[in-house]
Amino acid sequence: MPPAFPERAAWGTASSLRAWQQQALEAYFGGDGSSSGPRDFLAVATPGAGKTTFALRLARELLDRRIVAAITVVCPTEHLKRQWAESASRVGIKIDPEYQNGQGAVGKEYLGIAVTYATVAARPALHRNRTEARKTLVIFDEVHHAGDGLSWGDAVREAFEPATRRLSLSGTPFRTDINPIPFVRYEEGPDGVRRSRADYTYGYGPALADGVVRPVIFLAYAGEMRWRTRAGDEITATLGEPLTQDQTAQAWRAALDPKGDWIRQVLVAADRRLTELRRAIPDAAGLVIATDHEAARAYAKMLRSVTGQGATVVLSDDPAASKKIKTFAETDDRWMVAVRMVSEGVDIPRLAVGVYATSTSTALFFAQAVGRFVRARRRGETASVFLPSVPTLMGHAAEMETERDHVLDRPLREDGLDDELLAEANRRRDTSDVGEELAFETVEASATFDRVLYDGGEFGMQAAAGSAEEQEYLGIPGLLEPEQVAALLRKRQAEQVKAERKRRTAGQKADDRTAAETLHELRKELNGLVGAWNHRTGQPHGVIHNELRRTCGGPAIAQASADDIRKRIAKIREWAARRRS
């Protein structure tokens, strides 16, 4: 089925309905369109697929059939309220995005309002009265926010229980907690665990095949980090190598610290990639997602020094944030830096390069952030996201095409930690507390190009930032079909491996490195590959090392010779190539 049908969309939302949108409408009204539709409907579609167009077309149908007479849109942020109102106005539905709890009745010229979940939670009885007064369609944008704490869920349930119709939308319906989402159906599986049940699902994989979204190339950067602890000790670690959880967190923080060179080198690489994409997509833009306000401002200064142009900075406490986002979307400026304002729902189709410069590591946030870059305007566009070589993020990137449901009744993790507690540990303040004692001080941080992740595969070998090897990947054309991207990545990796073998052969005669240094480099390379295989398969590092030893022979890695390790490196690369083919 083609990705779009001509002349099906409401005017102003799109020139045509995409196939998934038409299928979702048919799922709602029945194949022949004779049904009045269910009271509750959950549509899950990947970010960038066009959930707003689908929702407004459905709203228009329900209004025209006189099934409903009013609309309430509930969304996560103030900016999204205005975005919904603008989209609705293009299909003849006037929605008031400035409605406040204290203002009373809605103006007669409006068919409805757009409010945030927080606004509803503040006065649920008010919104219940409004919902009871008229036959109302309630659209829950990114409905998982209705589960942000039991009080929010209870408020949403109280306010909109009388609604005539409820349409729930989400691009990422999974959550890290086990709070049930109101008006979402849960079904118990054979394992006794309840999971959310969507009425229509359109995932990233099918959307990519239809050309509705862009393929995403993830460029991971490792590097050497050195920091000083509160006790005055200096610690050195390599991001991208197997580390303890605490070491990974500290090295990750050092990498993102504006005082080090890692983030500057990654921003330089990201801007080079943006320049390449602009050859094919002239208005392509980049977005840096920062951890806090202080870092965001520092990154903007770096971008000015790198590009010679200023970057738009969007902060959550800036009253002009919504206006800045809208202006940026309509210009051809290169870069925007934001904390969390642009992580979810915001529509800037020209965003094509992202830098994940935040310490937030939950799968939900990662998917929302990456979703800002996948919206395709024409077939062949690619998106590129730069990120630290951290196991959690590598796992999220490798699972881009995995569709998830919201799971209730989850048992505690084997390590005894609840996912909600882990999520809380991963949260960072928008601003640092004045006088807060630093856990450590970054001494040095440098970046190394690690590898590319694409379509479940990994490509490339470590290379210095600014090297010709890195440029081979930064210079991938901006207009390619998904299969062309994969073919080009395979070719680049084959050329890189061949060049590396040549260097090793030539260097065997004149290499002045000690045997210990050679072993150290080989072990480092093998450990990196084992880590990559762990991200892809979920097998523990020890199991992978044991399988390599069983297959290739030789002693444990601590006693293995250089030849033993080279055999294992060749074998794990063979596994990777076989899995990609």
Side-chain angles (χ1 to χ4, degrees):
M1 182 174 287
F5 295 120
E7 307 304 327
R8 293 288 187 93
W11 180 86
T13 55
S15 58
S16 58
L17 268 193
R18 291 166 174 160
W20 83 262
Q21 294 162 338
Q22 180 63 27
Q23 289 171 338
L25 282 173
E26 291 173 357
Y28 188 91
F29 288 115
D32 58 4
S34 59
S35 167
S36 64
R39 188 178 184 195
D40 288 296
F41 192 87
L42 170 60
V44 175
T46 190
K51 291 185 290 295
T52 303
T53 294
F54 161 70
L56 291 174
R57 174 57 189 269
L58 177 60
R60 186 75 268 172
E61 287 282 341
L62 291 173
L63 287 167
D64 291 345
R65 298 184 188 197
R66 302 186 186 280
I67 296 171
V68 300
I71 296 172
T72 297
V73 179
V74 190
C75 45
T77 67
E78 292 290 325
H79 177 79
L80 288 178
K81 293 194 313 181
R82 299 178 182 93
Q83 192 167 286
W84 269 96
E86 289 173 4
S87 297
S89 69
R90 292 195 290 268
V91 296
I93 301 174
K94 293 196 69 176
I95 290 176
D96 181 5
E98 307 299 335
Y99 179 84
Q100 299 297 323
N101 285 341
Q103 79 177 57
V106 182
K108 292 182 179 180
E109 69 271 26
Y110 294 111
L111 275 171
I113 62 173
V115 293
T116 65
Y117 287 97
T119 299
V120 173
R123 293 192 58 186
L126 168 71
H127 293 278
R128 183 184 182 94
N129 291 336
R130 289 193 59 262
T131 304
E132 288 176 332
R134 302 177 71 186
K135 294 188 297 182
T136 302
L137 163 67
V138 182
I139 300 173
F140 298 107
D141 188 18
E142 303 298 349
V143 69
H144 50 269
H145 284 280
D148 280 343
L150 291 175
S151 60
W152 278 35
D154 290 344
V156 167
R157 189 174 284 105
E158 178 186 349
F160 301 115
E161 190 279 329
T164 303
R165 292 287 186 274
R166 292 180 290 252
L167 172 63
S168 298
L169 304 173
S170 184
T172 48
F174 50 93
R175 296 182 52 80
T176 56
D177 57 36
I178 56 173
N179 293 333
I181 301 169
F183 313 123
V184 169
R185 181 161 38 108
Y186 291 87
E187 294 183 352
E188 186 174 316
D191 56 359
V193 174
R194 291 174 295 164
R195 293 176 173 84
S196 61
R197 176 66 180 270
D199 297 286
Y200 186 86
T201 300
Y202 187 60
Y204 176 76
L208 184 62
D210 287 345
V212 169
V213 295
R214 299 167 176 151
V216 180
I217 302 170
F218 292 97
L219 298 101
Y221 279 73
E224 295 289 331
M225 309 297 152
R226 188 156 56 96
W227 64 90
R228 186 178 296 111
T229 68
R230 184 182 291 119
D233 299 325
E234 284 197 4
I235 298 176
T236 301
T238 301
L239 199 65
E241 287 192 352
L243 300 171
T244 67
Q245 186 173 353
D246 286 344
Q247 287 173 332
T248 297
Q250 299 290 335
W252 186 356
R253 184 172 175 182
L256 301 182
D257 193 334
K259 296 176 184 176
D261 288 334
W262 188 93
I263 186 64
R264 178 180 289 275
Q265 291 168 328
V266 170
L267 289 176
V268 168
D271 191 66
R272 287 178 182 165
R273 179 66 184 144
L274 181 59
T275 297
E276 179 61 41
L277 290 182
R278 281 191 161 222
R279 299 181 195 278
I281 313 170
D283 66 342
L287 169 66
V288 182
I289 301 176
T291 296
D292 55 42
H293 290 190
E294 184 179 350
R297 294 187 181 98
Y299 298 160
K301 288 181 181 177
M302 287 183 187
L303 284 169
R304 178 178 285 279
S305 68
V306 168
T307 67
Q309 301 177 21
T312 298
V313 180
V314 179
L315 305 176
S316 55
D317 59 357
D318 183 354
S322 186
K323 183 178 180 181
K324 286 183 178 180
I325 293 171
K326 187 175 187 295
T327 300
F328 183 82
E330 295 171 350
T331 66
D332 62 355
D333 293 348
R334 290 177 74 91
W335 283 99
M336 172 184 282
V337 184
V339 179
R340 280 189 287 270
M341 284 291 295
V342 196
S343 66
E344 182 178 35
V346 174
D347 183 16
I348 308 176
R350 66 191 193 90
L351 286 178
V353 175
V355 179
Y356 196 88
T358 173
S359 53
T360 305
S361 62
T362 63
L364 176 62
F365 184 88
F366 184 87
Q368 291 167 351
V370 173
R372 299 314 99 214
F373 308 98
V374 301
R375 186 183 298 274
R377 295 176 295 177
R378 57 172 169 155
R379 194 162 187 110
E381 291 182 347
T382 61
S384 303
V385 176
F386 291 71
L387 40 79
S389 191
V390 173
T392 303
L393 300 184
M394 297 298 97
H396 295 337
E399 296 169 359
M400 265 291 290
E401 296 187 28
T402 302
E403 294 171 9
R404 291 180 171 87
D405 295 312
H406 181 208
V407 180
L408 298 179
D409 313 316
R410 286 200 312 272
L412 286 176
R413 291 156 48 104
E414 290 182 5
D415 55 14
L417 293 174
D418 184 275
D419 278 345
E420 187 172 0
L421 295 178
L422 290 176
E424 178 63 31
N426 283 326
R427 294 191 185 105
R428 293 292 184 269
R429 302 176 181 89
D430 282 356
T431 55
S432 300
D433 287 342
V434 177
E436 181 182 13
E437 185 178 6
L438 292 177
F440 75 99
E441 178 186 359
T442 302
V443 176
E444 187 178 2
S446 60
T448 302
F449 172 74
D450 190 6
R451 58 190 182 271
V452 170
L453 292 85
Y454 177 73
D455 193 24
E458 298 185 3
F459 307 85
M461 300 167 63
Q462 286 203 356
S467 66
E469 290 87 352
E470 178 196 44
Q471 187 57 42
E472 285 292 301
Y473 292 96
L474 298 180
I476 292 172
L479 283 180
L480 289 174
E481 292 293 319
E483 59 273 12
Q484 292 176 316
V485 174
L488 185 54
L489 287 171
R490 284 194 293 267
K491 180 182 177 184
R492 293 277 163 89
Q493 173 157 292
E495 291 170 348
Q496 201 173 6
V497 170
K498 184 177 179 181
E500 178 65 17
R501 285 175 180 163
K502 269 189 177 181
R503 281 195 295 270
R504 284 183 178 174
T505 302
Q508 282 176 355
K509 298 177 182 178
D511 193 353
D512 59 358
R513 292 177 302 174
T514 66
E517 288 173 332
T518 300
L519 272 174
H520 174 74
E521 288 192 8
L522 288 170
R523 286 172 182 156
K524 178 178 175 180
E525 182 179 353
L526 178 59
N527 284 332
L529 291 168
V530 167
W533 193 251
N534 159 261
H535 301 328
R536 192 187 309 184
T537 65
Q539 291 178 292
H541 289 73
V543 172
I544 301 168
H545 277 296
N546 288 339
E547 179 61 20
L548 287 169
R549 182 182 174 189
R550 187 190 66 78
T551 305
C552 302
I557 189 170
Q559 292 80 38
S561 67
D563 285 341
D564 289 331
I565 298 175
R566 288 190 183 102
K567 288 177 184 177
R568 296 175 197 183
I569 288 171
K571 177 56 67 175
I572 197 168
R573 289 194 182 282
E574 179 186 322
W575 292 349
R578 193 163 59 233
R579 185 165 179 137
R580 286 196 295 266
S581 62

